[in-house]
Amino acid sequence: MTDVGLPLVVMTHASPPSVHARLEQQCRVVTINKDENIVPRQKFLEAIKGAHALFLNPYSRVDAEVLDTAGPQLKVIATCSVGLEHIDLKECERRGVKVGYTPNVLDKAVAELAVALTLATARRLEEAFQSVRDGVWGTLWENCLWMCGKQVSGSVVGIVGLGRIGFETAKRLAAFEPSKILYCGNTPKAYADTIRADFVSFHELLETSDFVVATCSINDSTRGLFDKEAFKRMKADAIFINVSRGALVNQDDLYEALSSNQIGAAGLDVTTPEPLPPNHRLLKLRNCVVSPHLGSATVRTRAAMCDVCVENIFAGLNGKDLPSPVPSAFK
Ligand SMILES: O=C(O)C(=O)CO
């Protein structure tokens, strides 16, 4: 049987075999890049010509050029992410191309990573592992403050943006018995009462928290939120964690704050750019830990995200409403 009459789905990345198999029941599937994280732009443009659906990772920018290149038969774009800043949503809407994304299914995985990064940064785990490899473990207890870090219990935890991911993160950190949980954002949230979190201003949160955890989404009002001014307001031993987007942070200001010990340490799962070049000056700092944007990177969560994408693609190709559409408020 020939599959030439089937709609063409172009995927930017490899996915679990079961996801492929489901798509192949109804579509022709082309995977652009099976090995590398980020598809080079030219390769992406070449591959999408004639596509009816795009199945994207969040590193593939969709703009007018992409939509022109794909052609007018393009019906649906399914991004395997909750972040949408790589897609020109207005341009898609203008052309009648539906866009679906993957909220909800990744909240818990990102929250677990936020907790892991918080603990790894607070307990200096990267330095600690390295000290064992370097054979300097022997100094332990010659100085009882050797390799000492901070603990969450008894500390003030501040969550910037108590949305779905922020709430899941706060719930998990609550189990460590912080003295207080604070949060800030546009409006107080009723569900914050279940973890006894207090709504405060951004400035009060910065000035009071021992741990400042950024989980808010990126938009015009949060871009560059963590700048020189913000770091100046934080406590001298504050720990800053970012699992949202690198663009929330002015990285030069963060570097200054960390290298001058204006704040204690930072744990970043997101940076600008991504990947962060291995010789970047942030990576030379003892008090900065960086993971390679692993928030949703568990086998189960990635499979769930891919499943949502498949459902969005099938619905879009069949002219139906997407089960997980981008809300019109985001456009
Ligand atoms: O889905 C996204 O946008 C993420 O960044 C998850 O880590």
Side-chain angles (χ1 to χ4, degrees):
M1 193 183 93
T2 169
D3 61 2
V4 172
L6 295 178
L8 173 63
V9 178
V10 176
M11 299 183 72
T12 54
H13 56 281
S15 63
S18 60
V19 171
H20 252 264
R22 272 188 77 200
L23 278 172
E24 277 171 346
Q25 284 171 0
Q26 299 188 29
C27 311
R28 264 182 306 146
V29 183
V30 169
T31 307
I32 308 176
N33 206 335
K34 296 197 168 84
D35 308 313
E36 297 162 52
N37 189 16
I38 297 172
V39 180
R41 177 77 172 178
Q42 212 43 46
K43 199 169 171 183
F44 180 51
L45 290 174
E46 272 308 309
I48 61 176
K49 288 178 186 159
H52 298 89
L54 301 180
F55 189 142
L56 300 179
N57 66 26
Y59 293 107
S60 305
R61 187 164 40 85
V62 173
D63 51 18
E65 183 187 23
V66 164
L67 299 170
D68 283 342
T69 307
Q73 76 299 326
L74 181 67
K75 288 201 166 84
V76 57
I77 294 173
T79 181
C80 205
S81 65
V82 65
L84 291 163
E85 66 281 3
H86 54 298
I87 302 177
D88 185 337
L89 297 173
K90 283 204 169 52
E91 195 57 34
C92 290
E93 190 173 38
R94 202 175 67 73
R95 297 173 187 232
V97 176
K98 292 179 176 163
V99 183
Y101 73 144
T102 64
N104 305 314
V105 292
L106 49 68
D107 302 343
K108 289 182 167 61
V110 179
E112 286 182 12
L113 194 277
V115 172
L117 201 50
T118 300
L119 297 179
T121 309
R123 299 304 296 268
R124 304 170 57 182
L125 289 186
E126 189 174 57
E127 278 178 86
F129 295 148
Q130 194 56 46
S131 76
V132 176
R133 290 203 179 86
D134 293 344
V136 293
W137 185 355
T139 52
L140 182 60
W141 284 112
E142 283 166 24
N143 170 359
C144 78
L145 290 179
W146 183 74
M147 209 53 82
C148 285
K150 286 183 67 154
Q151 63 194 68
V152 180
S153 59
S155 298
V156 178
V157 168
I159 307 282
V160 179
L162 200 73
R164 290 183 300 257
I165 292 173
F167 184 53
E168 292 299 332
T169 302
K171 274 199 306 198
R172 284 157 179 74
L173 288 173
F176 290 91
E177 302 177 347
S179 61
K180 228 190 257 180
I181 300 179
L182 307 176
Y183 72 102
C184 64
N186 295 333
T187 50
K189 309 284 184 199
Y191 50 76
D193 292 347
T194 61
I195 49 166
R196 295 204 293 273
D198 295 329
F199 183 66
V200 294
S201 69
F202 179 54
H203 287 169
E204 184 176 344
L205 184 143
L206 295 177
E207 286 158 11
T208 320
S209 299
D210 298 297
F211 293 86
V212 175
V213 185
T215 54
C216 55
S217 55
I218 188 82
N219 54 46
D220 289 343
S221 63
T222 58
R223 208 174 303 280
L225 185 65
F226 293 94
D227 59 4
K228 200 186 196 126
E229 258 313 297
F231 294 122
K232 214 186 285 172
R233 284 181 189 272
M234 289 187 197
K235 292 182 175 179
D237 61 349
I239 289 184
F240 172 63
I241 303 295
N242 187 7
V243 294
S244 168
R245 283 294 182 267
L248 288 182
V249 178
N250 179 321
Q251 257 173 210
D252 290 335
D253 293 351
L254 175 62
Y255 179 84
E256 289 311 320
L258 288 168
S259 59
S260 64
N261 295 316
Q262 189 175 58
I263 66 170
L268 312 173
D269 188 45
V270 286
T271 57
T272 307
E274 290 183 10
L276 198 64
N279 61 354
H280 194 280
R281 59 184 183 155
L282 274 177
L283 299 175
K284 302 198 169 33
L285 294 175
R286 178 198 58 77
N287 55 351
C288 185
V289 177
V290 182
S291 54
H293 201 149
L294 294 178
S296 62
T298 71
V299 174
R300 199 190 318 148
T301 291
R302 284 286 160 84
M305 291 165 75
C306 286
D307 283 341
V308 173
C309 290
V310 171
E311 296 303 332
N312 278 332
I313 286 174
F314 285 163
L317 290 176
N318 290 310
K320 295 192 179 138
D321 289 344
L322 306 193
S324 186
V326 169
S328 44
F330 292 2
K331 291 174 187 163

